[in-house]
Amino acid sequence: CCMEPVWRLLCGAQSLKNGGGAIICDAVAVALALRPDLSKRSASVHVDVELQGSITRGQTVLDWGHCFDGIQRQKDVTWVIEVDNGRYIELFRQMLQ
């Protein structure tokens, strides 16, 4: 099947610590939008996008709430730290059928 390489890449995401697979961020974001219960662990954070840097322009910058610049930033984003891989892969498998 033409989806076999994509499937191997996705399934390999479960073994990233062993050097296999990749995290397909857009697919994870869509899965979480459809099924927020896939999130196993998350945190409230402040998120900004760097627009001035010549090297980091467009980079997402997180403030976990313990920056040492003394500025209190509103934590208005839920940052997902861990997803239920088994259920995520099953959802992805269902989409490909």
Side-chain angles (χ1 to χ4, degrees):
C1 166
C2 62
M3 294 305 295
E4 183 62 28
V6 173
W7 188 247
R8 282 197 318 264
L9 180 71
L10 178 70
C11 290
Q14 293 185 52
S15 62
L16 282 176
K17 292 180 182 176
N18 299 327
I23 297 173
I24 305 171
C25 297
D26 290 346
V28 173
V30 170
L32 286 164
L34 294 172
R35 302 281 300 276
D37 59 315
L38 291 175
S39 172
K40 290 178 75 175
R41 194 164 53 112
S42 63
S44 293
V45 298
H46 175 81
V47 175
D48 216 336
V49 177
E50 170 61 52
L51 298 176
Q52 304 302 315
S54 61
I55 296 174
T56 59
R57 183 172 176 82
Q59 182 174 345
T60 302
V61 180
L62 298 183
D63 180 348
W64 294 91
H66 46 77
C67 287
F68 299 102
D69 60 5
I71 299 172
Q72 295 293 317
R73 294 171 181 85
Q74 183 176 342
K75 296 179 181 180
D76 51 4
V77 172
T78 301
W79 190 262
V80 175
I81 300 167
E82 182 181 0
V83 298
D84 184 327
N85 275 341
R87 291 180 54 226
Y88 166 68
I89 288 186
E90 182 56 34
L91 178 64
F92 200 89
R93 178 180 287 142
Q94 290 171 3
M95 288 187 327
L96 295 177
Q97 292 177 347

